[in-house]
Amino acid sequence: MVFERPEAGRRRVIIEQVEPQVNNGRFPIKRTVGETVTVDADVFTDGHDRIHCKLLYRSEHQAEWHKTSMKPLVNDCWQGAFQVHDVGRYYYTVTAWIDHFASWSHDLKRRTESHDIAIALLTGAELVDAAVRRAQKSDAKKLKQFAQLLRSNGDNNAQLDTAMDSELAQLMSRYADPDLVTVYDRELVVVVDPALARFGAWYEAFPRSCSAEPGCHGTFADCEARLPYIAAMGFDVLYLPPIHPIGLTKRKGPNNSLTANDHDPGSPWAIGSKEGGHLSVHAELGTLKEFRSLVALAREHKLEIAMDIAFQCSPDHPYVAEHPAWFKHRPDGSVQYAENPPKKYEDIYPFDFESADWQNLWTELEGVFRFWIEQGVRVFRVDNPHTKSFNFWEWAIGRIKHDHPESLFLAEAFTRPKVLRYLAKAGFSQSYNYFPGAIPNTKSPQYLTQLTQSAEREYLRPNLWPNTPDILTEYLQYGGRSAFMIRFALAATLGASYGIYGPAFELFDNAPREPGSEEYLDSEKYQIRYWELHRHDSLKDYITRINRIRRENPALQHDWTLQFHDVDNDALICYSKSTDDLTNIILVMVNLDPHHTQSGWLNIPLDVLGLDADHSFQVHDLLSNARYIWNGPRNYVELDPQIVPAHIFRLRKRVRSERDFDYYM
């Protein structure tokens, strides 16, 4: 073994297994403002010497490291933590050294013979002398005084008190010999996002269907008029499908028909016409100035506008003529359209990320994000990112977040697990996932447990959507209004971030295009829809109530404390979330059967939730406002889906007041 610096061979401390890190530090972990990064490391040395271990961290805007001591746990594992306060990047690493002074002090306490103690005190004085040479002027003076006291020929007890002085220990730690300090071999990175990356409720709506008049094409102004309705339900993000000009060539008709009439609006995802492309807005929606007005007014309603970025073109997009090298061409010279044989999507041309002109393509696509950031957009939902180059996403998102660290990117990654995970590592702030099908109507919590308890949680944030314009599940098709209530309760309480495609959701639109299809009949993707927002049976009040519960209970604003609990009926699911200090504990029970009343006995781990098995506790149903007194871990629950298919309980402990009476808090 050859060391670059001679003194490195004297460093006896080993540092390994530093966690968290992703792919050996290749990718950053993720946090939001105010969260804590807890770091574990295996730190050890030969022999029995004492070790001092520190966690170093700094933001990208700081030159100097902050240092905090790590605590030994068991089996040579050490742990430390730091809090992140600003969006952007933080760096962290671990350093450790043999603490010869602590080792000396430890042995001194165990010595019993006067001669041994006297010699040991002189040894300690020599250690302090060495630190004097490394110390700053004022601290050096203090250390000299300590060394003199250790050498004095006075009372051994007084000298021992000096040896154990806490100020001396701190000074000796501060001025450890740098030549003996081991530093972990890499600096690790944490990307810090706004709180919206961790906790938020998304609402998707097509602007062209926002008109108050049936049959009329909606505008940005109509969308502005819809803002109070969406904000009143408690949403944080209004997500708009593509707002760009729509191509005419091979335009799709209603229900994905291959033939469109002159009045058919086409699919917003067939982007581009003679009016412009990804940097333009569809003329029937309004102007760029009117879009900026929508973004500003939404922010006044405490809503962020999320914009759909779909990197694909209609045959009429200006890019097709101006940059033919950005597309694949077939042997007959025509541009290769998107297809998944036998399906053909002739209204869409995908970009060729293997193009010889790939650098200009990358620069142009990055510029699309930057253009809309200039218009006030900070949140982007990216369409099918798994069909574009991973290297491009890492490059583009990294560059944009360097200049705009507050920007957020949601990956519509309904794809294979490893691909989904890699996109999250490459920079996407949140990810669609398998919630519509993987956590449907049976007690199968393994997937969400993986997302919230495994190492995946360090970089992959789920955003749970029970429906999208592309996905109308069989459960929603046949479960009626109750099925929508069930799926909403699950999405909004299992996940700190969730979204719905509305108004289709609150009006429980559940007609499929044909049996066995997940496509909607008369899908908004291909035609304008009129929605009767104030129908008496709308779920908007139910949605509003649950969103208010989410805002009022911090336990529901995080994912990592999610725990599933045993119920003796497979039609019921039970889980809890809590704050770290257990001052806010939420217990959720959901009837997964949309047609029948279901009941069962549940078992909850009282000790894990900070409850005393010898005392009763109150469960306060935040949906109905009913309150029940429970005793012990086993309790009975019954839910009628035709009334309300879920309980969202807040658990309240019994406490004794200063005036000697009990109450629940």
Side-chain angles (χ1 to χ4, degrees):
M1 179 182 294
V2 177
F3 293 102
E4 293 182 2
R5 298 175 62 186
E7 64 271 18
R10 301 170 58 210
R11 295 169 184 164
R12 294 164 47 207
V13 176
I14 303 299
I15 303 173
E16 59 182 16
Q17 300 298 323
V18 177
E19 298 291 347
Q21 59 175 292
V22 181
N23 286 37
N24 295 319
R26 164 76 172 78
F27 300 103
I29 65 168
K30 297 188 179 111
R31 292 293 185 274
T32 58
V33 172
E35 287 193 303
T36 296
V37 179
T38 299
V39 178
D40 293 308
D42 290 347
V43 183
F44 52 90
T45 187
D46 57 277
H48 304 287
D49 283 316
R50 296 284 161 152
I51 292 174
H52 200 102
C53 187
K54 284 188 179 290
L55 171 63
L56 277 57
Y57 65 95
R58 63 180 177 86
S59 80
E60 61 184 328
H61 306 296
Q62 297 170 324
E64 298 295 324
W65 290 99
H66 298 281
K67 301 177 182 179
T68 183
S69 293
M70 299 181 73
K71 296 180 179 180
L73 301 178
V74 295
N75 194 26
D76 292 316
C77 181
W78 293 68
Q79 187 176 84
F82 66 97
Q83 194 174 45
V84 292
H85 301 285
D86 304 300
V87 295
R89 289 187 166 223
Y90 277 69
Y91 301 92
Y92 61 99
T93 192
V94 174
T95 183
W97 61 93
I98 300 292
D99 193 333
H100 290 289
F101 183 81
S103 300
W104 168 82
S105 177
H106 174 265
D107 288 346
L108 182 64
K109 295 175 187 176
R110 303 167 67 185
R111 296 185 186 277
T112 57
E113 296 184 14
S114 297
H115 178 72
D116 285 349
I117 293 174
I119 296 297
L121 288 170
L122 293 176
T123 301
E126 290 179 354
L127 292 173
V128 177
D129 288 339
V132 169
R133 295 190 289 271
R134 298 187 292 267
Q136 296 178 358
K137 189 172 182 180
S138 59
D139 289 339
K141 183 178 179 180
K142 292 179 183 178
L143 286 166
K144 284 180 180 179
Q145 292 171 349
F146 279 117
Q148 290 171 358
L149 290 171
L150 291 174
R151 285 193 173 94
S152 65
N153 293 320
D155 182 3
N156 270 3
N157 289 331
Q159 290 174 294
L160 289 172
D161 288 342
T162 298
M164 303 305 164
D165 191 291
S166 60
E167 184 181 11
L168 175 58
Q170 291 173 4
L171 287 169
M172 292 299 290
S173 174
R174 187 179 306 163
Y175 296 107
D177 185 347
D179 288 345
L180 303 181
V181 175
T182 300
V183 180
Y184 187 57
D185 62 6
R186 63 185 67 98
E187 293 179 13
L188 302 170
V189 182
V190 51
V191 168
V192 183
D193 290 314
L196 185 60
R198 169 181 47 80
F199 171 67
W202 291 52
Y203 185 92
E204 180 178 3
F206 285 71
R208 70 187 189 185
S209 293
C210 285
S211 174
E213 297 183 31
C216 290
H217 194 292
T219 65
F220 292 136
D222 292 324
C223 200
E224 286 186 358
R226 184 72 58 89
L227 293 175
Y229 167 82
I230 298 168
M233 285 191 286
F235 287 96
D236 305 290
V237 178
L238 170 57
Y239 153 48
L240 308 179
I243 58 171
H244 312 297
I246 299 171
L248 290 172
T249 301
K250 300 293 183 178
R251 177 176 282 191
K252 295 291 184 68
N255 293 303
N256 203 21
S257 167
L258 298 180
T259 306
N261 297 318
D262 291 341
H263 63 276
D264 290 330
S267 167
W269 283 272
I271 296 170
S273 73
K274 63 180 181 180
E275 298 172 344
H278 286 78
L279 306 185
S280 304
V281 296
H282 188 57
E284 289 187 83
L285 291 175
T287 65
L288 194 58
K289 180 180 179 181
E290 288 168 330
F291 175 73
R292 288 195 295 266
S293 171
L294 170 62
V295 172
L297 186 59
R299 208 158 272 149
E300 291 180 17
H301 284 84
K302 298 183 179 179
L303 285 165
E304 286 292 328
I305 294 294
M307 186 172 179
D308 193 298
I309 296 294
F311 283 146
Q312 58 200 31
C313 300
S314 85
D316 306 319
H317 196 296
Y319 286 158
V320 177
E322 295 170 1
H323 301 281
W326 292 355
F327 304 90
K328 288 183 178 180
H329 290 74
R330 300 194 296 175
D332 63 1
S334 62
V335 178
Q336 176 64 62
Y337 51 77
E339 62 178 343
N340 185 14
K343 295 181 180 179
K344 298 180 179 181
Y345 306 96
E346 295 178 90
D347 59 337
I348 293 174
Y349 289 168
F351 288 111
D352 178 12
F353 282 88
E354 295 181 351
S355 166
D357 195 31
W358 65 270
Q359 290 172 303
N360 287 324
L361 173 61
W362 281 26
T363 300
E364 179 69 19
L365 298 184
E366 181 203 1
V368 171
F369 285 112
R370 293 188 180 277
F371 176 84
W372 292 107
I373 288 173
E374 290 173 1
Q375 314 312 312
V377 178
R378 293 294 183 270
V379 184
F380 299 95
R381 180 268 196 189
V382 178
D383 188 71
N384 285 334
H386 50 286
T387 62
K388 286 80 181 175
S389 165
F390 298 134
N391 292 332
F392 165 74
W393 291 126
E394 185 176 0
W395 175 84
I397 294 175
R399 284 169 55 87
I400 292 164
K401 287 189 72 66
H402 178 271
D403 297 334
H404 302 280
E406 74 285 359
S407 58
L408 300 178
F409 298 82
L410 170 61
E412 190 230 5
F414 291 114
T415 183
R416 305 183 303 281
K418 291 179 181 178
V419 174
L420 186 156
R421 290 196 290 268
Y422 197 89
L423 287 166
K425 294 174 186 178
F428 280 93
S429 316
Q430 294 184 339
S431 303
Y432 281 64
N433 46 70
Y434 313 118
F435 177 76
I439 330 276
N441 326 307
T442 60
K443 296 196 298 185
S444 54
Q446 292 87 350
Y447 176 62
L448 277 174
T449 299
Q450 176 182 330
L451 287 178
T452 58
Q453 306 300 326
S454 77
E456 280 186 33
R457 71 183 190 175
E458 298 292 349
Y459 61 88
L460 197 159
R461 299 189 187 105
N463 194 322
L464 310 185
W465 288 70
N467 77 325
T468 75
D470 301 301
I471 302 176
L472 174 64
T473 62
E474 184 179 31
Y475 182 77
L476 294 179
Q477 292 175 25
Y478 296 104
R481 187 174 187 269
S482 296
F484 283 78
M485 295 177 73
I486 290 166
R487 296 298 288 159
F488 183 80
L490 290 170
T493 57
L494 282 168
S497 293
Y498 81 92
I500 60 171
Y501 154 52
F505 192 91
E506 65 264 32
L507 299 179
F508 43 96
D509 186 27
N510 65 348
R513 190 180 63 194
E514 65 265 337
S517 170
E518 287 192 338
E519 288 278 352
Y520 289 82
L521 179 65
D522 300 327
S523 170
E524 272 189 285
K525 291 191 296 182
Y526 310 106
Q527 64 191 78
I528 296 169
R529 293 283 300 271
Y530 171 74
W531 301 100
E532 297 179 24
L533 299 181
H534 302 292
R535 264 176 29 194
H536 74 281
D537 57 349
S538 169
L539 292 175
K540 67 182 180 65
D541 291 339
Y542 176 74
I543 291 169
T544 303
R545 180 70 173 172
I546 291 182
N547 276 339
R548 185 182 303 124
I549 291 169
R550 283 166 47 88
R551 290 176 184 265
E552 294 174 351
N553 290 273
L556 294 174
Q557 298 171 18
H558 298 262
D559 287 331
W560 289 10
T561 61
L562 177 65
Q563 298 181 74
F564 290 90
H565 306 301
D566 292 334
V567 190
D568 64 1
N569 181 345
D570 285 342
L572 297 174
I573 190 169
C574 178
Y575 49 92
S576 66
K577 285 185 171 183
S578 61
T579 52
D580 291 337
D581 61 4
L582 299 178
T583 57
N584 187 240
I585 306 170
I586 300 296
L587 182 74
V588 182
M589 291 284 303
V590 182
N591 180 357
L592 302 174
D593 179 353
H595 305 292
H596 306 96
T597 298
Q598 297 288 345
S599 61
W601 290 86
L602 66 95
N603 279 288
I604 55 176
L606 299 182
D607 55 337
V608 174
L609 297 177
L611 298 169
D612 188 345
D614 296 328
H615 293 87
S616 61
F617 56 96
Q618 184 188 91
V619 290
H620 176 196
D621 189 348
L622 302 177
L623 280 173
S624 67
N625 208 33
R627 298 171 187 257
Y628 309 93
I629 303 298
W630 284 4
N631 291 277
R634 183 173 165 83
N635 291 275
Y636 176 81
V637 175
E638 181 176 294
L639 285 164
D640 182 349
Q642 305 308 314
I643 301 175
V644 180
H647 289 305
I648 303 177
F649 289 128
R650 179 173 177 184
L651 275 55
R652 300 181 183 274
K653 305 174 187 179
R654 189 176 72 174
V655 297
R656 178 61 59 92
S657 74
E658 293 180 357
R659 298 183 179 180
D660 250 7
F661 64 85
D662 292 343
Y663 66 100
Y664 294 92
M665 65 172 295

